[in-house]
mmCIF file of all heavy atoms in Angstrom:
data_model
loop_
_atom_site.group_PDB
_atom_site.id
_atom_site.type_symbol
_atom_site.label_atom_id
_atom_site.label_comp_id
_atom_site.label_asym_id
_atom_site.label_seq_id
_atom_site.Cartn_x
_atom_site.Cartn_y
_atom_site.Cartn_z
ATOM 1 N N ILE Y 4 -8.624 17.958 -12.598
ATOM 2 C CA ILE Y 4 -9.327 17.017 -11.819
ATOM 3 C C ILE Y 4 -8.317 16.093 -11.097
ATOM 4 O O ILE Y 4 -7.511 15.494 -11.732
ATOM 5 C CB ILE Y 4 -10.326 16.189 -12.623
ATOM 6 C CG1 ILE Y 4 -11.400 17.105 -13.238
ATOM 7 C CG2 ILE Y 4 -10.987 15.093 -11.729
ATOM 8 C CD1 ILE Y 4 -12.371 16.416 -14.158
ATOM 9 N N PHE Y 10 -14.090 9.874 -5.537
ATOM 10 C CA PHE Y 10 -14.293 11.269 -5.777
ATOM 11 C C PHE Y 10 -13.437 11.835 -6.815
ATOM 12 O O PHE Y 10 -12.276 11.432 -6.983
ATOM 13 C CB PHE Y 10 -14.106 12.048 -4.451
ATOM 14 C CG PHE Y 10 -15.003 11.578 -3.346
ATOM 15 C CD1 PHE Y 10 -14.656 10.449 -2.499
ATOM 16 C CD2 PHE Y 10 -16.179 12.278 -3.011
ATOM 17 C CE1 PHE Y 10 -15.505 10.042 -1.508
ATOM 18 C CE2 PHE Y 10 -16.982 11.916 -1.952
ATOM 19 C CZ PHE Y 10 -16.639 10.799 -1.182
ATOM 20 N N PRO Y 27 -2.491 6.546 20.554
ATOM 21 C CA PRO Y 27 -2.335 6.980 21.912
ATOM 22 C C PRO Y 27 -1.208 7.951 22.088
ATOM 23 O O PRO Y 27 -1.058 8.513 23.202
ATOM 24 C CB PRO Y 27 -2.079 5.650 22.642
ATOM 25 C CG PRO Y 27 -1.329 4.805 21.625
ATOM 26 C CD PRO Y 27 -1.977 5.174 20.315
ATOM 27 N N GLN Y 40 -15.105 4.452 18.247
ATOM 28 C CA GLN Y 40 -16.340 5.256 18.263
ATOM 29 C C GLN Y 40 -15.984 6.752 18.471
ATOM 30 O O GLN Y 40 -16.554 7.635 17.884
ATOM 31 C CB GLN Y 40 -17.309 4.826 19.343
ATOM 32 C CG GLN Y 40 -17.933 3.481 18.976
ATOM 33 C CD GLN Y 40 -18.598 3.450 17.662
ATOM 34 O OE1 GLN Y 40 -19.340 4.337 17.250
ATOM 35 N NE2 GLN Y 40 -18.336 2.392 16.854
ATOM 36 N N LEU Y 49 -15.641 16.925 12.466
ATOM 37 C CA LEU Y 49 -14.824 17.725 11.579
ATOM 38 C C LEU Y 49 -15.465 18.002 10.219
ATOM 39 O O LEU Y 49 -15.338 19.072 9.694
ATOM 40 C CB LEU Y 49 -13.470 17.020 11.303
ATOM 41 C CG LEU Y 49 -12.529 16.774 12.542
ATOM 42 C CD1 LEU Y 49 -11.251 16.164 12.093
ATOM 43 C CD2 LEU Y 49 -12.227 18.110 13.194
ATOM 44 N N PRO Y 66 8.409 13.194 15.532
ATOM 45 C CA PRO Y 66 9.776 12.885 15.719
ATOM 46 C C PRO Y 66 9.982 11.980 17.017
ATOM 47 O O PRO Y 66 9.499 12.274 18.083
ATOM 48 C CB PRO Y 66 10.405 14.251 15.928
ATOM 49 C CG PRO Y 66 9.537 15.155 15.192
ATOM 50 C CD PRO Y 66 8.173 14.656 15.312
ATOM 51 N N PRO Y 70 7.625 2.601 16.269
ATOM 52 C CA PRO Y 70 6.823 1.927 15.253
ATOM 53 C C PRO Y 70 5.629 1.195 15.913
ATOM 54 O O PRO Y 70 5.772 0.690 17.040
ATOM 55 C CB PRO Y 70 7.811 0.994 14.571
ATOM 56 C CG PRO Y 70 9.124 1.536 14.861
ATOM 57 C CD PRO Y 70 9.055 2.167 16.258
ATOM 58 N N PRO Y 72 3.156 -2.189 15.313
ATOM 59 C CA PRO Y 72 2.956 -3.442 14.533
ATOM 60 C C PRO Y 72 1.905 -3.289 13.454
ATOM 61 O O PRO Y 72 0.839 -2.633 13.676
ATOM 62 C CB PRO Y 72 2.694 -4.522 15.572
ATOM 63 C CG PRO Y 72 3.223 -3.967 16.831
ATOM 64 C CD PRO Y 72 3.055 -2.478 16.781
ATOM 65 N N ARG Y 78 -5.800 -2.929 12.909
ATOM 66 C CA ARG Y 78 -6.899 -2.936 13.922
ATOM 67 C C ARG Y 78 -7.432 -1.672 14.276
ATOM 68 O O ARG Y 78 -8.697 -1.535 14.471
ATOM 69 C CB ARG Y 78 -6.419 -3.753 15.115
ATOM 70 C CG ARG Y 78 -7.488 -4.042 16.157
ATOM 71 C CD ARG Y 78 -6.937 -4.463 17.514
ATOM 72 N NE ARG Y 78 -6.206 -3.379 18.126
ATOM 73 C CZ ARG Y 78 -6.820 -2.349 18.807
ATOM 74 N NH1 ARG Y 78 -8.161 -2.331 18.867
ATOM 75 N NH2 ARG Y 78 -6.145 -1.409 19.386
ATOM 76 N N VAL Y 83 -12.644 2.322 11.772
ATOM 77 C CA VAL Y 83 -12.894 3.765 11.591
ATOM 78 C C VAL Y 83 -13.254 4.057 10.159
ATOM 79 O O VAL Y 83 -14.155 4.845 9.808
ATOM 80 C CB VAL Y 83 -11.671 4.608 12.049
ATOM 81 C CG1 VAL Y 83 -11.941 6.122 11.844
ATOM 82 C CG2 VAL Y 83 -11.425 4.346 13.517
ATOM 83 N N LYS Y 124 8.689 -1.572 0.084
ATOM 84 C CA LYS Y 124 8.602 -2.714 -0.809
ATOM 85 C C LYS Y 124 7.105 -3.172 -0.969
ATOM 86 O O LYS Y 124 6.481 -3.541 0.055
ATOM 87 C CB LYS Y 124 9.409 -3.885 -0.241
ATOM 88 C CG LYS Y 124 9.417 -5.131 -1.162
ATOM 89 C CD LYS Y 124 10.337 -6.218 -0.609
ATOM 90 C CE LYS Y 124 10.360 -7.421 -1.479
ATOM 91 N NZ LYS Y 124 11.230 -8.546 -0.934
ATOM 92 N N CYS Y 136 -7.586 5.134 -6.712
ATOM 93 C CA CYS Y 136 -7.197 5.741 -5.469
ATOM 94 C C CYS Y 136 -6.197 6.877 -5.671
ATOM 95 O O CYS Y 136 -5.364 6.793 -6.502
ATOM 96 C CB CYS Y 136 -6.645 4.661 -4.529
ATOM 97 S SG CYS Y 136 -4.929 4.228 -4.705
ATOM 98 N N ILE Y 138 -3.156 9.357 -4.332
ATOM 99 C CA ILE Y 138 -1.867 9.101 -3.689
ATOM 100 C C ILE Y 138 -1.191 10.435 -3.276
ATOM 101 O O ILE Y 138 -1.087 11.353 -4.137
ATOM 102 C CB ILE Y 138 -0.851 8.356 -4.580
ATOM 103 C CG1 ILE Y 138 -1.477 7.001 -4.955
ATOM 104 C CG2 ILE Y 138 0.508 8.120 -3.889
ATOM 105 C CD1 ILE Y 138 -0.942 6.449 -6.292
ATOM 106 N N GLN Y 151 14.788 13.851 13.087
ATOM 107 C CA GLN Y 151 15.102 15.235 13.633
ATOM 108 C C GLN Y 151 16.429 15.229 14.433
ATOM 109 O O GLN Y 151 16.768 16.251 14.977
ATOM 110 C CB GLN Y 151 13.975 15.748 14.488
ATOM 111 C CG GLN Y 151 12.710 16.150 13.628
ATOM 112 C CD GLN Y 151 13.049 17.172 12.571
ATOM 113 O OE1 GLN Y 151 13.099 16.886 11.402
ATOM 114 N NE2 GLN Y 151 13.204 18.436 13.011
ATOM 115 N N ASN Y 153 19.637 14.828 13.394
ATOM 116 C CA ASN Y 153 20.674 15.602 12.761
ATOM 117 C C ASN Y 153 20.326 15.800 11.209
ATOM 118 O O ASN Y 153 20.857 15.149 10.364
ATOM 119 C CB ASN Y 153 22.056 14.892 12.839
ATOM 120 C CG ASN Y 153 23.184 15.696 12.336
ATOM 121 O OD1 ASN Y 153 23.079 16.957 12.290
ATOM 122 N ND2 ASN Y 153 24.213 15.069 11.903
ATOM 123 N N PRO Y 154 19.349 16.651 10.947
ATOM 124 C CA PRO Y 154 18.949 16.888 9.590
ATOM 125 C C PRO Y 154 20.114 17.336 8.700
ATOM 126 O O PRO Y 154 20.956 18.078 9.146
ATOM 127 C CB PRO Y 154 17.834 18.014 9.670
ATOM 128 C CG PRO Y 154 17.355 17.890 11.039
ATOM 129 C CD PRO Y 154 18.555 17.489 11.861
ATOM 130 N N PRO Y 155 20.161 16.863 7.415
ATOM 131 C CA PRO Y 155 21.240 17.377 6.524
ATOM 132 C C PRO Y 155 21.120 18.774 6.132
ATOM 133 O O PRO Y 155 20.129 19.457 6.463
ATOM 134 C CB PRO Y 155 21.063 16.409 5.293
ATOM 135 C CG PRO Y 155 19.563 16.083 5.314
ATOM 136 C CD PRO Y 155 19.161 16.032 6.717
ATOM 137 N N GLU Y 171 11.557 12.959 -8.890
ATOM 138 C CA GLU Y 171 12.039 11.553 -9.145
ATOM 139 C C GLU Y 171 10.918 10.609 -8.750
ATOM 140 O O GLU Y 171 10.717 9.652 -9.500
ATOM 141 C CB GLU Y 171 13.271 11.331 -8.321
ATOM 142 C CG GLU Y 171 13.867 9.963 -8.609
ATOM 143 C CD GLU Y 171 13.253 8.786 -7.879
ATOM 144 O OE1 GLU Y 171 12.798 9.094 -6.721
ATOM 145 O OE2 GLU Y 171 13.225 7.672 -8.357
ATOM 146 N N GLN Y 175 8.911 8.001 -11.141
ATOM 147 C CA GLN Y 175 8.890 6.542 -10.883
ATOM 148 C C GLN Y 175 7.449 5.987 -10.856
ATOM 149 O O GLN Y 175 7.149 4.937 -11.418
ATOM 150 C CB GLN Y 175 9.517 6.265 -9.517
ATOM 151 C CG GLN Y 175 9.746 4.809 -9.175
ATOM 152 C CD GLN Y 175 10.741 4.197 -10.055
ATOM 153 O OE1 GLN Y 175 11.650 4.750 -10.612
ATOM 154 N NE2 GLN Y 175 10.550 2.873 -10.232
ATOM 155 N N ASN Y 179 5.452 3.409 -13.579
ATOM 156 C CA ASN Y 179 4.806 2.207 -13.140
ATOM 157 C C ASN Y 179 3.266 2.189 -13.328
ATOM 158 O O ASN Y 179 2.551 1.462 -12.675
ATOM 159 C CB ASN Y 179 5.176 1.955 -11.646
ATOM 160 C CG ASN Y 179 6.519 1.358 -11.431
ATOM 161 O OD1 ASN Y 179 6.671 0.118 -11.530
ATOM 162 N ND2 ASN Y 179 7.497 2.173 -11.245
ATOM 163 N N GLY Y 180 2.874 3.073 -14.181
ATOM 164 C CA GLY Y 180 1.479 3.065 -14.585
ATOM 165 C C GLY Y 180 0.490 3.836 -13.728
ATOM 166 O O GLY Y 180 -0.747 3.677 -13.872
ATOM 167 N N MET Y 187 -0.650 13.644 -5.645
ATOM 168 C CA MET Y 187 -0.497 14.851 -4.914
ATOM 169 C C MET Y 187 0.846 14.876 -4.212
ATOM 170 O O MET Y 187 1.430 13.813 -3.937
ATOM 171 C CB MET Y 187 -1.649 14.904 -3.871
ATOM 172 C CG MET Y 187 -1.702 16.131 -2.982
ATOM 173 S SD MET Y 187 -3.048 15.992 -1.760
ATOM 174 C CE MET Y 187 -4.453 16.046 -2.797
ATOM 175 N N PHE Y 192 6.973 19.289 5.824
ATOM 176 C CA PHE Y 192 7.451 20.227 6.926
ATOM 177 C C PHE Y 192 7.654 19.407 8.219
ATOM 178 O O PHE Y 192 6.769 18.716 8.621
ATOM 179 C CB PHE Y 192 6.417 21.409 7.098
ATOM 180 C CG PHE Y 192 6.400 22.312 5.914
ATOM 181 C CD1 PHE Y 192 5.419 22.279 5.074
ATOM 182 C CD2 PHE Y 192 7.412 23.291 5.820
ATOM 183 C CE1 PHE Y 192 5.365 23.205 3.930
ATOM 184 C CE2 PHE Y 192 7.430 24.165 4.727
ATOM 185 C CZ PHE Y 192 6.412 24.109 3.815
ATOM 186 N N GLY Y 195 12.598 15.748 9.059
ATOM 187 C CA GLY Y 195 13.983 15.762 8.680
ATOM 188 C C GLY Y 195 14.492 17.141 8.222
ATOM 189 O O GLY Y 195 15.280 17.242 7.314
ATOM 190 N N LEU Y 214 5.932 21.265 -10.658
ATOM 191 C CA LEU Y 214 5.721 19.804 -10.770
ATOM 192 C C LEU Y 214 4.320 19.463 -11.294
ATOM 193 O O LEU Y 214 4.041 18.339 -11.528
ATOM 194 C CB LEU Y 214 6.017 19.153 -9.389
ATOM 195 C CG LEU Y 214 7.519 19.191 -8.955
ATOM 196 C CD1 LEU Y 214 7.596 18.728 -7.474
ATOM 197 C CD2 LEU Y 214 8.390 18.340 -9.862
ATOM 198 N N ILE Y 218 -0.588 20.529 -4.207
ATOM 199 C CA ILE Y 218 0.373 20.599 -3.110
ATOM 200 C C ILE Y 218 -0.412 20.562 -1.808
ATOM 201 O O ILE Y 218 -1.340 21.437 -1.548
ATOM 202 C CB ILE Y 218 1.180 21.885 -3.201
ATOM 203 C CG1 ILE Y 218 2.039 21.907 -4.481
ATOM 204 C CG2 ILE Y 218 2.141 21.970 -1.945
ATOM 205 C CD1 ILE Y 218 2.786 23.171 -4.695
ATOM 206 N N ASP Y 235 3.420 26.381 23.520
ATOM 207 C CA ASP Y 235 3.357 24.902 23.491
ATOM 208 C C ASP Y 235 2.344 24.435 22.491
ATOM 209 O O ASP Y 235 1.624 25.238 21.855
ATOM 210 C CB ASP Y 235 3.060 24.315 24.886
ATOM 211 C CG ASP Y 235 1.719 24.799 25.448
ATOM 212 O OD1 ASP Y 235 0.765 24.845 24.650
ATOM 213 O OD2 ASP Y 235 1.604 25.014 26.619
ATOM 214 N N ARG Y 253 1.311 30.715 -1.677
ATOM 215 C CA ARG Y 253 2.438 30.236 -2.440
ATOM 216 C C ARG Y 253 2.121 29.004 -3.285
ATOM 217 O O ARG Y 253 3.070 28.367 -3.776
ATOM 218 C CB ARG Y 253 3.642 30.035 -1.584
ATOM 219 C CG ARG Y 253 4.240 31.334 -1.001
ATOM 220 C CD ARG Y 253 5.115 31.143 0.188
ATOM 221 N NE ARG Y 253 5.756 32.385 0.599
ATOM 222 C CZ ARG Y 253 5.164 33.414 1.228
ATOM 223 N NH1 ARG Y 253 3.903 33.283 1.569
ATOM 224 N NH2 ARG Y 253 5.827 34.501 1.509
ATOM 225 N N LEU Y 258 -4.744 22.062 3.006
ATOM 226 C CA LEU Y 258 -4.146 22.245 4.323
ATOM 227 C C LEU Y 258 -4.636 21.108 5.226
ATOM 228 O O LEU Y 258 -5.796 20.898 5.455
ATOM 229 C CB LEU Y 258 -4.587 23.589 4.931
ATOM 230 C CG LEU Y 258 -4.109 24.909 4.237
ATOM 231 C CD1 LEU Y 258 -4.603 26.109 5.032
ATOM 232 C CD2 LEU Y 258 -2.638 24.900 4.055
#
Side-chain angles (χ1 to χ4, degrees):
I4 297 176
F10 300 82
Q40 291 307 313
L49 294 184
R78 186 194 67 79
V83 178
K124 184 178 179 180
C136 80
I138 301 155
Q151 289 301 105
N153 187 26
E171 185 278 329
Q175 186 69 28
N179 280 274
M187 180 184 295
F192 290 101
L214 291 170
I218 300 173
D235 65 36
R253 288 162 174 78
L258 296 181

